Amino acid sequence: LEIFCGNLPWSITEEKMTEFFAGAGATVSTCRWLNDKESGEFKGIGFVAFDDTADVDKAVTLGGQQLDGRPIRIDFAGNKPKKEGAWGGK
């Protein structure tokens, strides 16, 4: 089960994401970052996977929270219905 994460800092690592989501009680299983196909530069977005739905529900509560000084955008990546405010907006 994956969630989309946007507005990620250039300094992002899998360890930082694991610690960030642990703050909500969610356990990260894997992370993957998206890079520009031509330049190879990190695009500031990625996907974070969790083993169960409960962890995904906990993780999306962190939408808009700061990670290395940037408010992280979070949304569901799969077929799960989107919740109001999942991007951390109003």
Side-chain angles (χ1 to χ4, degrees):
L1 302 166
E2 286 188 324
I3 58 171
F4 169 84
C5 296
N7 200 36
L8 296 172
W10 304 122
S11 59
I12 196 66
T13 64
E14 189 160 345
E15 290 78 24
K16 286 183 182 182
M17 288 303 277
T18 299
E19 288 176 20
F20 179 71
F21 287 113
T27 304
V28 171
S29 58
T30 61
C31 299
R32 58 189 177 98
W33 318 122
L34 299 187
N35 296 320
D36 185 272
K37 286 181 179 165
E38 293 182 17
S39 69
E41 290 186 16
F42 176 54
K43 293 170 78 172
I45 58 176
F47 293 91
V48 179
F50 301 90
D51 288 331
D52 63 56
T53 307
D55 279 346
V56 171
D57 291 341
K58 292 173 190 171
V60 297
T61 67
L62 294 178
Q65 295 298 308
Q66 299 279 326
L67 177 58
D68 281 3
R70 299 185 72 150
I72 304 304
R73 287 195 334 241
I74 297 174
D75 200 2
F76 294 106
N79 297 323
K80 189 168 179 172
K82 292 183 172 147
K83 289 185 180 175
E84 193 72 31
W87 285 84
K90 305 252 183 240

